């Protein structure tokens, strides 16, 4: 049998060679002899690849290039005989029953050639009448049809469904029937990809810093200043792989840190939690451990009242769209601007659903210092508190409810714990200060009468609280200095009003679309090809369906991401774990360096630029220029942000230039049921639309090439190309039950059929409000985390909604920053903060509307022409800073003026836009500029790229957390006088801050 | 004969800019012979979204108006063109021929809507051509319409009588009624953009506590003629909208049983928020 299979193999390749010009082309890449044999050479066959041709013979070849060796003929027959059993293959590989010997890259080439032979007949895309081919891709802002002709992208459009796509769901509410459009509603940044793919700052070939010599003078102090020279891929890969080896040889495991942005190009194969994690584990690296980015206040705050650790402190979501439309009389949007960010990844799919609020005349309120995009679209009462003060407003609302009896006393009695303590605090029993509407006025600037009017309406109407960008979590004020206070007050208000009763819940119609979640398709955090059973959901979500060689990072050392500069510059950093499995996960402290582990001397940067997205970003500028970092490699698509602070640059391609597969907004365990933002579950075959631009290569291809240089090539690739992994994931999902591979490749997408209305899950928290066991289709909290019976009660220790938190009582009962009941403490950075007198304006830096993190911005992209995104002044596209006309007049600023926004941490040039949408004293500009453009020496000059995160505080929201407080900062704004210099006055790192305090 | 029309609903536009991005995606880097030459990557806004903020304090609103070639039936650009540089198609669409219009800057200058752009490099006028090149190959609607998430843009192909009926039923207007160019782009809820409002908030003091006053009577008069009467809402707020900009002097009276009335004289320019109007008990 073994011999028969070996005899057949060359024939498979010959047939592919006959059928496919691409395969013929591939065969010309290498000349080699592959010997396949048993370990004792009793059976064997060799294949000769020569000048594009294939020859084969039985027996043993004398001097073969590569040998594929099976322990016995029986094992060989079992492993090679179709259908291939992946688990058997993995087991055989783990037990070294099969080995690949010879140069790694030749071995991988041979294995991938065999795979290419299998796929030679596949046809991708649909031919259109105008001669284009319609392909499909998926982005962070929705799926696209990509029309390609002669290797060039002609146009990109939203997906419009075919008539034979499954029927859409409908919702009946108050006598009306609502059903979504049969197409995908994109985010602006999704309609921008053509300009991003063909951007002038695409990295076209590998580069090396001109004054960097890996064998001599490295000149690390010149990072960010000296230029680059083109080098070959071979040279680049040689430098990077030998630096990896040198780090391990000279310092030990963990001397290499790997760091990526929070989001990458969409796709389950090429993602950072997939291809990149697989490589970093294979090599052994110190993980730069992420903070719960944009969920800060929820994870470190609200969690302790209502649980929800597996949703990073956010709430349940099922059924809330139907319940809101049917039962709610009022919706209070509180720091909730879903129209700006589309939730997260949600395109503008939620817009039509919020439009239905208007159709039903449901009363709306918007609480936000900025008259935001959602308020603009929907209308309603606008209440504008000063940034960071709205916890005081919330307390005053509770005060009205308590003093006027406008809350659900039965619910509070039966379902909650510790209300008396909070009530006493609000009434002033504890500290002699009643938290009344009049009391909050001096903090928030909101008239007491408005607070009373709102509280009375809210207390007497069935009300949805739309809190944060996703309605029950994410963004907005949770990113402020006192984000934990804000989220805590928000959920406590709902605890008083009967969370889960009809029409009383959290949501903004962004999450909770009635889709069929039982259809299996994995999200991006479900492991992908990472092989990582510990740090992704692979073990619980994917491995059983898609076995793969496991990977384990030999280094368990972590660096808290927000302290990466401290780790490098100070050589010491501390933080806390983001371990969402339990409420207590966050109490574990991270200390770097870990005992006995190597300090980090090399940084592998990958993915999107970070200077625009991380707080007090000048710290990173200083880090890159620290002598403690001996080598920095950056693998990136565009030359922007911090790319030019590296020694070697590896050009990666976009996901329009490689194959992948992914579902719109399905983040897997990273954000459970995120795809419930989308009106239909849409899974895309993400086609390779065009060849990679210039010499750029896919991330997987780059990692494979490096792995080959480290002898890890066959381990890393399992002999697979990206396309083969895509097919493997297709087969692992429920897709084959509904659509053939051939049809999927042709159509490019699949719409998951909706469930029948009677099969839809019940409404979030209804079970809790009614005192029943949890009846929602979600395995959270963990079974062992219930207190009494499985499925009985919330994740909290008491199983009740806890106004007074048991988990905080156990961990740090006397922490003044995070007391057991939520209290209002004015922000540690506000107009009253000593030392900040020179910076009287409160700058809000919310998530950007038109771009997504640093994706979409800069790159000379189409977004530059959107006046609310960037403004053209003197031939440069400046980031926009919004100012109230009063503040502008006091400073002599007009719309279109170049203004310097600055504080003791940095200085940024922006174009001013005067607007009444902000209260006086408040400025607004988005965070997440992709462009960092210091006008002089990096760190010591004005940035004209628009990185407003240069101005945000270094400090964590609260000490016992690993959190950013980059939603606001105190700044001054002046008309720019042309001076490009800037001198920092704040300490740069934790150690420097301690030293400065000691001097004082 | 059925002809193309575009309907723009100002109340639905959120400034998401997908329409403008779709135009760039379609035309930057692409040549459509007979229809359009490549669009410059930046600076041309064949669809442009105008912004208007109204009001002050916490009584503000913002309207966005997508503007573009109006595909006028009496098109000044067509009149100004020579040698067929711009022409009207039987389906209502105006085409500026990318070859024949070369050098004819007057075509761009003739447009009173400033919707025709001059391409310096190519020496031609350019505009949003209703995606005629796509409609002619079977596309059902222009791309700006299919990307619009709120259906603020709708394209319909009907005969002119039907369109006139729609104009009446849906209260559609021209972008610039002062121009008699017979545009084929029709605007709905344009008052959100081009009218003014008078707003304020009514409060009372009871026992040392200031509260919003709901259901206060708010009456607006001009030269003793009643313009509008309404009640304040639960926040004491009122907003009298759809007044003409710069429409002169108004008298506003706020009254409620048990309180002395308050009056305000308003010379209306742009929208105005009168702020808090406190009613007090007589004596």
């Amino acid at each position: 049998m073994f011999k028969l299979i070996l005899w057949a193999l060359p024939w498979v390749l010959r047939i592919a060679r006959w059928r496919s010009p691409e395969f013929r082309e591939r065969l010309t890449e290498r000349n080699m002899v592959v010997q396949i044999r048993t370990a004792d050479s009793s059976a064997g066959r060799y294949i000769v690849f020569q000048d594009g041709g294939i020859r084969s013979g039985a027996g043993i070849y004398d001097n073969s290039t590569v040998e594929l060796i099976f322990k016995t003929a029986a094992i060989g027959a079992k492993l090679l005989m179709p259908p291939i059993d992946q688990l058997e293959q993995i087991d055989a590989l783990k037990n070294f029953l099969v080995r690949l010997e010879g140069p790694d890259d030749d071995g991988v080439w041979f294995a991938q050639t065999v795979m290419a032979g299998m796929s030679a007949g596949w046809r991708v895309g649909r031919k259109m009448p105008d001669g284009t081919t319609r392909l499909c891709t998926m982005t962070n802002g929705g799926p696209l049809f990509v029309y390609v002709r002669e290797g060039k992208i002609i146009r990109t459009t939203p997906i419009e469904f075919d008539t034979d796509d499954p029927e859409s769901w409908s919702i009946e509410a108050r006598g009306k029937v609502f059903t979504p459009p049969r197409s995908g509603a994109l985010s602006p940044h999704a309609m921008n990809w053509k300009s991003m793919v063909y951007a002038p700052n695409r990295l076209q070939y590998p580069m090396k810093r001109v004054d960097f010599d890996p064998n001599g003078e490295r000149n690390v102090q010149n990072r960010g200043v000296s230029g680059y020279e083109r080098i070959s891929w071979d040279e680049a890969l040689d430098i990077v792989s030998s630096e990896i080896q040198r780090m391990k040889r000279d310092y030990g495991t963990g001397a290499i840190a790997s760091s990526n942005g929070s989001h990458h190009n969409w796709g389950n194969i090429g993602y950072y939690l997939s291809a990149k994690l697989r490589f970093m584990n294979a090599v052994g690296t110190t993980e730069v451990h992420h903070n719960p980015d944009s969920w800060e206040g929820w994870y470190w705050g609200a969690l302790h009242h209502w649980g929800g650790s597996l949703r990073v402190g956010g709430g349940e979501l099922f059924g809330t769209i139907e319940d809101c439309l049917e039962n709610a009389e009022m919706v209070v949007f509180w720091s909730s601007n879903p129209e700006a960010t589309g939730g997260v990844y949600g395109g503008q799919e939620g817009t039509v659903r919020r439009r239905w609020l208007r159709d039903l005349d449901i009363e709306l309120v918007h609480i936000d210092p900025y008259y935001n995009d959602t308020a603009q679209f929907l209308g309603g009462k606008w209440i504008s508190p000063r940034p960071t003060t709205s916890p005081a407003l919330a307390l005053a609302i509770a005060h009205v409810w308590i003093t006027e009896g406008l809350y659900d006393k039965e619910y509070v009695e039966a379902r909650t714990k510790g209300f008396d303590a909070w009530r006493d605090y609000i009434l002033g029993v504890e500290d002699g200060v009643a938290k009344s509407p009049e009391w909050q006025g001096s903090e928030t600037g909101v008239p007491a009468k408005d607070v009373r009017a709102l509280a009375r309406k809210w207390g007497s109407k069935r009300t949805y609280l739309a809190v944060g960008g996703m309605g029950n979590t994410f963004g907005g004020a949770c990113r402020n200095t006192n984000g934990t206070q804000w989220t805590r007050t928000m959920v406590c208000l709902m605890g008083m009003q009967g969370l889960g009763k009809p029409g009383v819940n959290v949501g903004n119609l962004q999450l909770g679309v009635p889709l069929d979640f039982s259809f299996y398709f994995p999200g991006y955090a479900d492991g992908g090809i990472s092989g990582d059973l510990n740090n992704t959901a692979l073990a619980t979500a994917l491995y059983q369906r898609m076995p793969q060689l496991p990977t384990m990072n030999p280094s368990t050392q972590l660096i808290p991401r927000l302290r990466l500069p401290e780790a490098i510059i100070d050589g010491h950093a501390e933080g806390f774990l983001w371990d969402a499995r339990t409420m207590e996960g966050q109490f574990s402290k991270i200390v770097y360096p870990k005992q006995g582990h190597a300090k980090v001397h090399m940084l592998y940067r990958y993915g999107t630029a970070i200077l625009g997205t991380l707080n007090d970003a000048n710290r990173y500028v200083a880090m890159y220029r620290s002598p403690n970092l001996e080598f920095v490699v950056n693998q990136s698509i565009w030359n922007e942000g911090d790319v030019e602070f590296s020694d070697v640059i590896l050009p990666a391609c976009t996901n329009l230039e490689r194959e992948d597969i992914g579902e719109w907004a399905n983040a897997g365990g990273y954000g459970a049921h995120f795809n419930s933002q989308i009106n239909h579950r849409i899974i895309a075959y993400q086609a390779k639309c065009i060849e990679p631009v210039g010499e750029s290569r896919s991330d997987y291809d780059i990692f494979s090439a490096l792995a080959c240089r480290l002898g890890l090539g066959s381990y890393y690739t399992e002999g697979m190309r990206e396309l083969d992994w895509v097919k493997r994931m297709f087969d692992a999902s429920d897709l084959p039950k509904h659509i053939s591979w051939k049809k999927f490749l042709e159509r490019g997408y699949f719409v998951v059929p909706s469930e029948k209305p009677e099969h839809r899950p019940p409404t979030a928290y209804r079970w809790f409000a009614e005192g029943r066991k949890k009846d929602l289709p979600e395995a959270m909290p963990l079974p062992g985390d219930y207190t009494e019976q499985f499925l009985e009660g919330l994740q909290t220790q008491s199983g009740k909604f806890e106004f007074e938190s048991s988990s905080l009582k156990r961990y740090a009962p006397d922490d003044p920053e995070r007391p057991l009941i939520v209290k209002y403490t004015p922000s540690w950075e506000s107009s009253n903060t000593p030392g900040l007198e020179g910076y009287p304006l409160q700058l809000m830096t919310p998530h950007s509307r038109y771009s997504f993190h640093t994706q979409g911005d800069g790159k000379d992209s189409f977004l530059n022409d959107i006046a609310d995104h960037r403004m053209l002044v003197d031939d440069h596209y400046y980031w926009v800073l919004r100012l109230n006309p009063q503040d502008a007049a006091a400073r002599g600023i007009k719309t279109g003026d170049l203004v310097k926004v600055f504080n003791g941490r940095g200085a940024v040039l922006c174009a001013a836009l005067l607007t009444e949408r902000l209260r006086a004293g408040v400025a607004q500009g988005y965070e997440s500029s992709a462009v960092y453009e210091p006008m002089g020496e990096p760190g010591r000059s004005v940035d004209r790229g628009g990185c407003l995160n240069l101005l945000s505080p270094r400090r964590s929201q609260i000490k016992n957390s690993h959190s950013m407080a980059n939603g606001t900062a105190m700044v001054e704004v002046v008309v720019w006088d042309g001076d490009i210099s800037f001198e920092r006055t704040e300490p740069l790192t934790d150690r420097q801050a301690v030293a400065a305090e000691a001097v004082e | 004969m059925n002809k193309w029309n575009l309907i723009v609903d100002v109340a639905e536009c959120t400034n998401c800019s997908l329409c403008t991005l779709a135009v760039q995606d379609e035309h930057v880097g692409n040549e459509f012979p007979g229809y359009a030459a490549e669009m410059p990557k930046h600076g041309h806004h064949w669809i442009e979204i105008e912004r208007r903020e109204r009001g002050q304090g916490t009584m503000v609103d913002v309207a966005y108006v997508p503007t573009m070639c109006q595909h006028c039936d009496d098109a000044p650009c067509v009149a100004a063109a020579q040698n067929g540089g711009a022409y009207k198609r039987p389906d209502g669409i105006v085409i500026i021929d990318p070859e024949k219009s070369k050098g004819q800057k007057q075509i761009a200058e003739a447009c009173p809507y400033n919707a025709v752009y001059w391409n310096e490099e190519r020496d031609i006028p350019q505009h949003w051509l209703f995606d005629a090149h796509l409609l002619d190959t079977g596309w059902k609607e222009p791309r700006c319409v299919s990307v619009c998430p709120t259906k603020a843009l709708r394209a319909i192909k009907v005969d002119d009588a039907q369109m006139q009926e729609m104009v009446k039923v849906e209260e559609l207007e021209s972008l610039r009624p002062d121009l008699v160019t017979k545009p084929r782009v029709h605007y709905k809820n344009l008052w959100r953009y081009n009218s003014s409002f008078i707003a304020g908030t009514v409060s009372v003091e009871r026992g040392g506590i200031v509260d919003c006053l709901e259901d206060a009577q708010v009456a607006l008069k001009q030269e003793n003629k009643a313009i509008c009467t309404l009640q304040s809402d639960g926040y004491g707020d009122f907003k009298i909208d759809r007044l003409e900009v710069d429409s002169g002097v108004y008298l506003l009276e706020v009254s409620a049983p048990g309180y002395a009335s308050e009056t305000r004289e308003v010379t209306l320019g742009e929208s105005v928020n009168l702020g808090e109007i406190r009613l007090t008990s007589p004596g």
Side-chain angles (χ1 to χ4, degrees), chain B residues 197-248:
Chain B
F197 66 68
I198 297 173
T201 184
V202 187
S203 67
V204 292
E205 194 185 315
R206 303 180 185 119
I209 298 282
V210 177
D211 261 325
C212 304
L213 184 65
E214 192 172 3
D215 288 337
Q217 192 81 1
V218 182
L220 188 71
K221 289 179 193 164
Q222 192 169 38
E223 292 170 354
N224 278 326
K225 202 180 104 200
I227 303 286
C228 170
T229 306
L230 47 69
Q231 279 79 40
S232 60
D233 68 13
Y235 301 95
D237 292 346
F238 63 87
K239 181 176 180 184
I240 302 168
D241 211 335
R242 304 183 74 157
L243 303 169
E244 222 173 290
V245 177
D246 294 330
S247 52

Side-chain angles (χ1 to χ4, degrees), chain A residues 434-712:
Chain A
K435 313 303 177 296
S436 67
E438 275 69 19
W439 163 80
Q440 65 83 48
S442 58
E443 292 295 322
T444 66
V446 176
K449 66 181 176 57
D450 292 358
V451 177
R452 252 192 304 279
L454 171 63
R456 287 171 182 161
K457 275 175 184 275
W458 191 341
S460 54
K461 287 176 189 278
R462 291 187 303 273
T463 300
Y464 257 64
L465 176 59
V467 56
M470 298 181 103
N472 62 7
T473 195
F474 172 67
C478 96
R479 301 169 59 247
N480 289 349
T481 51
N482 50 6
T484 56
Q485 288 177 37
W486 177 68
T487 64
R488 294 180 68 187
T489 56
M490 290 299 100
V491 298
C492 286
L493 290 182
M494 292 311 294
M496 287 181 76
Q497 289 300 336
L499 174 72
K501 290 191 162 186
V504 181
N505 222 314
V506 283
N508 60 6
L509 293 97
Q510 185 65 25
L511 290 160
V513 173
L515 303 172
D516 182 1
F517 297 104
S518 64
F519 181 100
Y520 180 78
F521 188 84
Y524 72 54
D526 288 333
I529 67 167
S530 69
D532 192 324
L533 296 158
N534 299 323
N535 300 300
T536 72
L538 189 64
T540 52
L542 180 62
Y543 186 82
Q544 302 80 346
R545 291 165 176 262
M546 191 172 128
Q548 50 189 280
L549 279 173
T551 67
M552 264 178 217
N553 190 350
S555 171
T556 54
Q557 176 167 265
L558 305 175
I559 294 175
R561 171 168 70 165
L562 306 176
R563 294 286 167 266
L564 179 60
E566 277 82 356
I568 301 300
I569 298 168
D570 294 346
H572 179 87
E574 293 183 11
F576 287 84
L577 215 52
W578 174 11
D579 175 355
R581 286 173 296 187
T582 66
M583 291 169 69
E584 292 76 16
Q586 61 173 264
F587 298 146
S588 302
K589 198 164 188 173
I590 302 169
V591 179
Y592 167 90
K594 193 170 178 176
Q595 242 174 10
H597 284 63
K599 278 193 178 179
V600 165
H601 295 273
M602 166 177 163
L603 181 62
Y604 200 124
R605 278 279 298 120
Y606 156 99
T608 52
I610 54 173
L611 289 176
T613 51
L614 294 178
N615 56 319
D616 196 358
N618 265 325
R619 295 179 304 144
Y620 293 84
V621 172
M623 168 193 86
Y624 278 119
R625 312 181 89 197
S626 159
N628 297 338
L629 265 189
E630 294 172 19
F631 183 61
V632 179
V633 54
N634 198 318
Q635 180 169 321
S636 175
I637 301 169
W638 297 279
N639 191 4
E640 62 188 12
D642 51 338
V643 168
E644 292 208 337
F645 286 93
S646 45
D647 304 320
V648 170
I649 298 171
L650 304 178
C653 68
T654 72
N655 62 351
L656 275 71
E657 299 151 64
R658 57 176 176 79
E659 294 94 359
D660 214 318
I661 187 169
E663 179 183 349
W664 192 355
N666 188 348
Y670 231 89
H673 306 106
F674 264 24
N675 47 358
S676 77
Q677 300 174 87
I678 310 302
N679 286 322
H680 305 82
R681 288 187 67 181
I682 299 175
I683 300 157
Y685 172 73
Q686 303 182 215
K688 178 178 179 178
C689 303
I690 57 167
E691 287 300 315
V693 167
E695 288 184 7
S696 69
R697 295 164 72 164
S698 78
D699 290 318
Y700 178 78
D701 194 23
I702 296 169
F703 290 134
S704 300
L706 283 172
C708 284
R709 279 170 162 73
L710 298 165
L712 289 163

Side-chain angles (χ1 to χ4, degrees), chain A residues 177-200:
Chain A
V177 179
F178 298 101
T179 192
R182 294 179 58 75
S183 55
L186 303 171
S187 291
H189 49 85
M191 200 14 70
N192 188 40
W193 267 95
K194 196 170 101 175
S195 69
M196 285 158 69
V197 168
Y198 296 122

Side-chain angles (χ1 to χ4, degrees), chain A residues 247-249 251-256 283-286 553-557 596-599:
Chain A
M247 285 294 144
K248 293 163 82 165
R249 190 190 318 122
Y251 299 109
T253 298
I256 306 156
V283 169
T285 50
T286 290
N553 190 350
S555 171
T556 54
Q557 176 167 265
H597 284 63
K599 278 193 178 179

Side-chain angles (χ1 to χ4, degrees), chain A residues 129 147 149 152-158 160 183 185-189 191-192 194-195 198-200 330 339 348 351-352 355 358 363 365 371 373 376-377 381-384 438 448-450 452-454 456-457 849-850 859-868 877 913-917, chain B residues 9-18 20-22 24-32 38 41-45 51 53-64 133-134 137 139 141 143 146-147 149-151 192 201-203 206 208-212 214 233-235 237 276:
Chain A
Y147 295 79
R149 186 165 49 213
K152 182 188 151 195
I153 298 170
I154 302 297
R155 66 175 62 91
T156 63
T157 72
E160 308 254 356
S183 55
L186 303 171
S187 291
H189 49 85
M191 200 14 70
N192 188 40
K194 196 170 101 175
S195 69
Y198 296 122
M330 184 163 90
E339 293 310 324
Q348 297 186 72
T351 304
V352 65
R355 178 71 179 73
R358 258 164 57 184
E363 190 172 344
V365 179
Y371 184 78
D373 311 279
Q376 183 274 333
F377 176 48
K381 172 68 179 173
W382 178 36
I383 292 173
S384 174
E438 275 69 19
K449 66 181 176 57
D450 292 358
R452 252 192 304 279
L454 171 63
R456 287 171 182 161
K457 275 175 184 275
R849 179 172 190 200
Y850 298 98
K859 309 169 186 63
D860 191 39
S861 85
F862 296 152
L863 297 186
N864 274 348
D865 284 278
I866 298 176
D868 274 272
Y877 289 98
L913 174 62
L914 273 52
T915 177
E916 294 283 353
R917 297 170 75 163
Chain B
D9 190 341
V10 176
E12 302 299 332
C13 181
T14 68
N15 193 32
C16 78
S17 302
L18 277 187
T20 69
L21 291 164
Q24 286 170 295
D25 179 85
E26 182 65 25
H27 290 285
V28 173
N30 288 334
E31 202 74 44
F32 299 106
E38 277 187 35
K41 189 171 182 187
H42 299 296
H44 273 217
H45 301 144
R51 171 191 333 135
E53 288 182 16
R54 305 189 308 164
Q56 309 83 29
T58 56
M59 302 285 263
V60 301
D61 59 24
V62 185
Y64 298 103
H133 64 300
L134 297 176
T137 57
W139 290 57
E141 57 189 13
R143 290 191 53 189
S146 48
V147 294
T150 59
K151 298 290 161 237
R192 292 272 311 259
T201 184
V202 187
S203 67
R206 303 180 185 119
I209 298 282
V210 177
D211 261 325
C212 304
E214 192 172 3
D233 68 13
Y235 301 95
D237 292 346
E276 190 175 338

Side-chain angles (χ1 to χ4, degrees), chain A residues 840-841 883 886-894 897 971-975:
Chain A
L841 289 174
L883 284 167
Q886 282 180 42
D887 297 319
R891 292 164 176 78
I893 296 168
K894 304 180 305 299
D897 282 352
V971 300
E972 179 57 295
V973 180
V974 296
V975 174

Side-chain angles (χ1 to χ4, degrees), chain A residues 195-217:
Chain A
S195 69
M196 285 158 69
V197 168
Y198 296 122
N201 70 338
R202 276 293 298 269
L203 292 161
Q204 306 256 359
Y205 35 77
M207 291 195 287
K208 183 179 80 66
R209 192 157 52 78
V210 288
D211 51 357
F212 171 78
D213 177 1
N215 303 312
E217 197 50 62

